[in-house]
Amino acid sequence: MTLPEVQVPPHQEAGRPPEVVTARRPLGWPAAACVLVVLAMVVNALLTNPAWEWDVVGQYLFAPSVVRSVLLTLELTALGIVLGFALGTVLALMRLSRNRLLSSVAWGYVWLFRSVPLILQLLFWYNLALLYPRLSVGVPFGPAFFDFGTMDLIGPLTAAVLGLALHQAAYAAEIVRGGLLSVDHGQREAAAALGLPPARRLFRIILPQAMRTIVPNAGNEIIGLVKGTSVVYIMALPELFYQVQVIYNRNGRVMALLLVAAIWYLALTTVLSIAQHYVERYYGRGRA
């Protein structure tokens, strides 16, 4: 019985290895050329249209009032994120608790503050004195030791920080909870088997691994809050968006001042995006 003759491809004759042929993409270069032309047209429109008033942009970009408003924007962002994630971490642990009351309270908080728009929450805290003119400290359902006026306690800045932090905490709670749930249950069992106390287990074993999932989402929230602070203009706080409004209402250079705000927001979010990249790389360095 004779076996059929096998035809050997020409490129495999004489022991030569097979050749790797790159897939052809004939539309790649024309598509890139079209995109390049569109980008060139956009840049040309930005640079040659006198309505953008680049000289006015340069005049106000580093004006003292604008720089102070940027600092206030950063202050609101930092306070909102720090307080929000601190409270959000507590809420996340409550959601994961076996205690039904703690879990239900945390769920209710997240449901409420994610359902109500941020602008309504800010207005509520700003006008809290209409509901409670005076607040007291004392025994629950008993006598009060001292009281104080709500208007004196909660000013515009306090109301803004309170609203941003409580609103952010609802989203931070879900981010932290998702990160903690992403850690393999075997890690928890191994830490418990080593006799580590619960707090040490959380901060030394579980949380460092959960940060791989938490950091990207937390970075998005920080960048979103930088832009979200513009909502506090309703309380006449001189953050970036409110300040450029004040200036263009005075001099009528609307587009130039809006461009000033856009440049600052782009700069702030770019710096935060770079920082997020390095933090992600730090926590992901043990990943294969």
Side-chain angles (χ1 to χ4, degrees), residues 93-288:
L93 296 175
M94 290 172 63
R95 283 289 307 272
L96 297 173
S97 173
R98 296 180 180 178
N99 189 305
R100 288 294 184 87
L101 177 60
L102 295 178
S103 178
S104 299
V105 169
W107 181 90
Y109 180 98
V110 173
W111 165 77
L112 177 63
F113 282 87
R114 288 200 307 183
S115 301
V116 180
L118 176 57
I119 192 169
L120 290 182
Q121 296 181 41
L122 291 172
L123 288 173
F124 173 83
W125 294 112
Y126 186 59
N127 295 288
L128 185 63
L130 298 177
L131 292 174
Y132 302 100
R134 302 193 68 81
L135 297 177
S136 60
V137 177
V139 179
F141 307 105
F145 300 144
F146 59 90
D147 61 1
F148 41 82
T150 307
M151 189 66 71
D152 300 329
L153 178 66
I154 302 180
L157 182 60
T158 305
V161 172
L162 197 58
L164 292 172
L166 294 178
H167 178 78
Q168 194 62 45
Y171 292 90
E174 293 300 281
I175 292 173
V176 175
R177 185 174 71 93
L180 295 176
L181 291 176
S182 69
V183 179
D184 187 80
H185 190 68
Q187 299 288 326
R188 307 169 191 269
E189 294 177 345
L194 291 173
L196 296 177
R200 191 174 179 84
R201 254 181 271 164
L202 175 64
F203 290 104
R204 297 299 299 272
I205 304 297
I206 299 173
L207 196 56
Q209 298 181 68
M211 290 298 289
R212 296 174 180 174
T213 303
I214 293 173
V215 168
N217 297 315
N220 291 335
E221 287 297 313
I222 295 173
I223 292 173
L225 190 59
V226 170
K227 299 172 291 184
T229 54
S230 59
V231 180
V232 305
Y233 80 93
I234 59 173
M235 295 183 291
L237 279 175
E239 50 77 44
L240 180 57
F241 183 63
Y242 178 84
Q243 189 60 41
V244 297
Q245 282 185 307
V246 170
I247 298 174
Y248 73 60
N249 285 332
R250 188 171 61 241
N251 62 14
R253 305 297 180 87
V254 178
M255 296 307 299
L257 269 300
L258 290 178
L259 190 56
V260 168
I263 291 173
W264 272 112
Y265 282 125
L266 284 171
L268 295 176
T269 55
T270 300
V271 172
L272 291 173
S273 297
I274 295 173
Q276 177 185 345
H277 167 73
Y278 283 104
V279 174
E280 286 182 18
R281 193 169 70 173
Y282 172 79
Y283 282 105
R285 66 189 187 278
R287 182 176 296 176

Side-chain angles (χ1 to χ4, degrees), residues 3 27 263:
L3 296 176
L27 298 179
I263 291 173

